Amino acid sequence: MNKLLFSAALLAAIGSGSAQARLQLSITNGVQTFSCADGQLGCDLSGGANNLLTVDTTLGGFFVQLTLAQSTFGAHNVLQLSSANIENNGGVPGTLTFIASDTNFVPPVGDILESASLTFNSNVGAGASSVSFFADPLNGQGANPLNAPGTLLDSFSGTPTSDPDSFSGTHLSGFASSTPFSMTESANLNLIAGGSITGFDQSMTSSAIPEPSTWVMMGLGFAALGFAAWRRRPSGRLAF
């Protein structure tokens, strides 16, 4: 009986540890705020907790269609936020703010690659739209509902001057952490009445730095391969 209780407690502890990382997304038009967490019933259309959050929602005059937030962990940590279509049907200009975040990305890390792109449609005359990227070595949970913890790594902005018009950007930022860390993305999107944004995509990618012991093992492996190749080297005798 004690063994069964111990096993149950161990499984519960493992389960609670894995549940600490939870993908979250918040969207606001400045008056209303929509917030959803991975696997949350009633808002996450992708189903259970699967590191993929899918939503369709309307805030005031804004229609937000097929918005995805996704995270992956390991040798490559990735946080991605995208939306197929964002429309302002409210009759007046407005700003829509998105924030996506997750925790417990795998260390160690030395830099993070940020990228973003989007296309404006019927939006000439709108103010600048911007995207920003944050990382936190203290592993703070963002987007609950509009929190962006840690350090601002970089931001891109663009103003539509033609129809359609697009902007994109890519940047590599130094960010060091030897413990689990969080990443957060935010976007402030300005749309005039009747304006829309398609192909919105924002992502952060970090690659784990091998531990010193891994470098040592790699060096020993290369040395062993070199020695084996030397042993198999022909004697160099000349043929007559």
Side-chain angles (χ1 to χ4, degrees):
M1 185 65 178
N2 289 338
K3 290 183 178 179
L4 290 175
L5 290 174
F6 175 78
S7 299
L10 180 60
L11 289 173
I14 294 173
S16 63
S18 61
Q20 290 177 2
R22 194 173 192 190
L23 182 64
Q24 296 196 22
L25 171 68
S26 290
I27 309 172
T28 183
N29 63 351
V31 178
Q32 300 170 285
T33 299
F34 169 89
S35 295
C36 187
D38 181 22
Q40 183 176 336
L41 295 177
C43 65
D44 183 7
L45 304 180
S46 71
N50 54 5
N51 292 331
L52 174 64
L53 201 164
T54 306
V55 302
D56 286 332
T57 190
T58 300
L59 290 118
F62 286 99
F63 173 56
V64 182
Q65 183 182 30
L66 192 60
T67 295
L68 308 176
Q70 187 171 12
S71 52
T72 58
F73 305 83
H76 298 283
N77 297 293
V78 180
L79 176 65
Q80 184 170 14
L81 172 63
S82 62
S83 187
N85 187 38
I86 304 166
E87 300 176 2
N88 181 3
N89 300 322
V92 294
T95 302
L96 203 60
T97 298
F98 292 73
I99 298 185
S101 182
D102 208 345
T103 61
N104 289 348
F105 288 102
V106 179
V109 60
D111 52 53
I112 295 177
L113 178 67
E114 308 100 22
S115 64
S117 61
L118 60 83
T119 298
F120 299 106
N121 306 283
S122 303
N123 203 40
V124 176
S129 293
S130 64
V131 295
S132 301
F133 306 85
F134 302 83
D136 185 12
L138 299 180
N139 205 28
Q141 176 71 67
N144 55 345
L146 292 172
N147 182 34
T151 302
L152 173 64
L153 300 180
D154 199 21
S155 61
F156 314 143
S157 64
T159 303
T161 57
S162 61
D163 184 28
D165 200 359
S166 301
F167 90 82
S168 62
T170 302
H171 183 260
L172 184 66
S173 297
F175 172 78
S177 182
S178 58
T179 58
F181 61 98
S182 66
M183 295 193 292
T184 301
E185 299 171 346
S186 71
N188 292 302
L189 307 177
N190 284 296
L191 292 171
I192 61 173
S196 68
I197 291 174
T198 54
F200 169 67
D201 186 80
Q202 185 174 358
S203 66
M204 303 174 72
T205 304
S206 72
S207 299
I209 300 173
E211 298 283 357
S213 58
T214 304
W215 286 115
V216 172
M217 292 300 294
M218 289 174 62
L220 292 175
F222 286 130
L225 289 172
F227 180 73
W230 178 80
R231 289 290 302 271
R232 291 194 298 269
R233 187 179 59 182
S235 61
R237 295 175 180 171
L238 296 176
F240 296 94

